[in-house]
Structure formats: C-alpha cells, structure tokens
Amino acid sequence: MILELDCGNSFIKWRVIDREDAVACCGVVGSDQELVDALRGRAVGLSACRLVSVRSDEETSNLVSALSEAFSLDCARAETAAELAGVSNGYEEHERLGLDRWLALVGAYHLASGACLVLDLGTAVTSDYVDAGGRHLGGFICPGVPLMRGQLRTHTRRIRYDDKVAERALHSLAPGRSTAEAVERGCSLMLQGFVHTQLELAREYWGDSFEVFLTGGDAALVAGLLPRARVVPDLVFIGLALACPLSRG
C-alpha cells in the first residue's frame, strides 16, 4: 500500500492505493495533524509514501517528519525536471514550472500518448500544451473563480454574500438580477471564455488531433462545454507515480 500526497498551499489531498493501483481510501485535510489523524487506523499495510508539494521546504520537511514519527514512513518527494516519462519541460528555466502543474501535464501525456491540452481549474486556472512528441510548448495562468470572487469581495464594499447564495446563483447564466448572481455568473463566463480560447489555440496547433484533460475543483463548471474532454481529478497523482516509482512491499 502506498500513501500519495498532493500538498497545496491551503490543503493536502491524500489517497492510499493498493497493489492494483485501486484507491483504498482518500480525503482532503487542512493541516499535517489532520492528515495524521485521518490516517490512523487506515495506515495498516502502508509500505511507502510519495508526495508532491508546492509548500516551502520547511513546511514540507515538517510534514515528512510527522509521517515518519507517526507511521515510520519514508517519503519520496517529486522534483521538477527537464524531462520525465517522454515529456520535455518547456520552461526556459525548468525548475520554475510549478511542480503540481508539471506532474499533471506529464500524467496527461502518459494517458493520451499524443498531443494534449491540460486545463487545471482551481484557485488559479492553468493551461498547458504538449505536442505529439512530448514537447511541452508552455501554457497560461490566470485567476480562477475563487480568486476572482475573492478580489471582488475584498475590494468592493457592497459585494457581500455567502457560499450557499453563490451556489444557487450558478443554476443559470442569465444576466444576474442580484449582486451574487451578477458576480458568480460573470466569473463563470470569464472562465468559459478562457477555456474556449485555449481550445482555439490548440486547434491552431493540431487541428482535431489532440485530447483535452480537465482537472481541479472547478472542472465541473466547464465540463459541459467539452463533451470529449477527459475529467481526471487525480491527474497530478498519475504524474507523481511516474516521477516517484515505488515498490508496494
């Protein structure tokens, strides 16, 4: 059994996989201690751990130490590389490419075995292009819906509403008749516009000979626009397995 961790700035996404790569259990936690608590009673049979982290070295080291103390686990840490699993990193300074983004595009190319567009729709939205030969052409980064919403709430005094109101506002994309509807639907339309632009650019490169991968918490907001897209929530973990192959013991 292998413990896999995707350590973001705010949350830690975790899962345990068995010998057949089936997910035995999984979850999302907000701190190192919450992770240890979540794993207690489920850590029987764990033989190894691999992780990807965009946190500081100190924060990541503290997490690794906590897992070692609680479960006697050694953790393999993924690192950005110039080349991995047939994919060449397109950044001029390869170490500057976000590690989670790098693993997601490597995972997508592994699944597609050809040209692909990778859209990660989370707090930030990223897109990446990988051609049929595994050459990463680069990508784009823009604010996601949470950041757009947060900036409007922070810098506009009269924009105040809770998450339940926000969810109800997205039942339609008609012009908003309240501030919540106007903001939520406006942010959603901006996201959709970004996605359409990425598709147009991919078609300029490859015609129709490419696959689209969606990942991230807001993938559902655009999945209906892309009926042929592959929604893969654990795309980063697929790349992580390629970066850190481990024996299950």
Side-chain angles (χ1 to χ4, degrees):
M1 305 280 273
I2 290 178
L3 172 64
E4 297 182 322
L5 304 174
D6 178 3
C7 307
N9 291 306
S10 301
F11 299 101
I12 302 170
K13 184 177 181 180
W14 65 272
R15 72 178 192 177
V16 175
I17 58 173
D18 63 19
R19 292 177 180 272
E20 287 73 42
D21 288 335
V23 178
C25 53
C26 61
V28 178
V29 295
S31 69
D32 297 359
Q33 187 57 52
E34 285 181 25
L35 176 63
V36 171
D37 293 341
L39 290 171
R40 291 196 190 280
R42 302 179 182 181
V44 177
L46 281 180
S47 60
C49 169
R50 56 187 168 215
L51 66 85
V52 51
S53 176
V54 297
R55 299 179 168 196
S56 69
D57 289 340
E58 181 180 2
E59 289 173 314
T60 304
S61 295
N62 289 340
L63 172 59
V64 169
S65 296
L67 292 171
S68 176
E69 181 178 345
F71 307 112
S72 300
L73 280 176
D74 293 326
C75 294
R77 294 169 58 175
E79 297 181 357
T80 306
E83 190 278 336
L84 174 63
V87 180
S88 59
N89 192 317
Y91 262 31
E92 294 177 355
E93 299 177 73
H94 72 264
E95 65 276 4
R96 303 288 291 178
L97 177 61
L99 189 48
D100 50 351
R101 196 172 145 206
W102 167 239
L103 294 183
L105 70 90
V106 169
Y109 182 76
H110 176 74
L111 294 176
S113 299
C116 53
L117 166 63
V118 184
L119 297 168
D120 188 340
L121 301 116
T123 303
V125 172
T126 64
S127 65
D128 283 286
Y129 298 78
V130 186
D131 70 16
R135 185 166 61 104
H136 175 222
L137 306 181
F140 299 93
I141 305 172
C142 72
V145 170
L147 279 179
M148 288 190 281
R149 179 193 298 127
Q151 285 298 301
L152 285 170
R153 286 179 173 176
T154 299
H155 297 289
T156 307
R157 291 186 178 183
R158 292 184 180 274
I159 295 181
R160 296 289 186 272
Y161 56 89
D162 61 28
D163 291 339
K164 289 184 178 180
V165 173
E167 185 177 349
R168 289 197 299 270
L170 286 174
H171 290 168
S172 166
L173 288 180
R177 300 184 64 185
S178 69
T179 299
E181 289 179 352
V183 169
E184 293 301 316
R185 295 172 188 180
C187 290
S188 182
L189 288 173
M190 289 189 71
L191 181 62
Q192 292 182 20
F194 177 84
V195 169
H196 280 304
T197 300
Q198 304 312 301
L199 283 174
E200 291 171 5
L201 183 54
R203 290 190 180 111
E204 289 179 13
Y205 282 135
W206 307 308
D208 290 323
S209 300
F210 66 97
E211 288 200 52
V212 180
F213 290 86
L214 296 176
T215 192
D218 283 335
L221 293 179
V222 300
L225 305 175
L226 306 167
R228 294 174 50 196
R230 298 172 66 174
V231 180
V232 186
D234 291 334
L235 199 53
V236 169
F237 285 139
I238 294 171
L240 177 60
L242 296 168
C244 301
L246 296 171
S247 170
R248 287 162 173 76

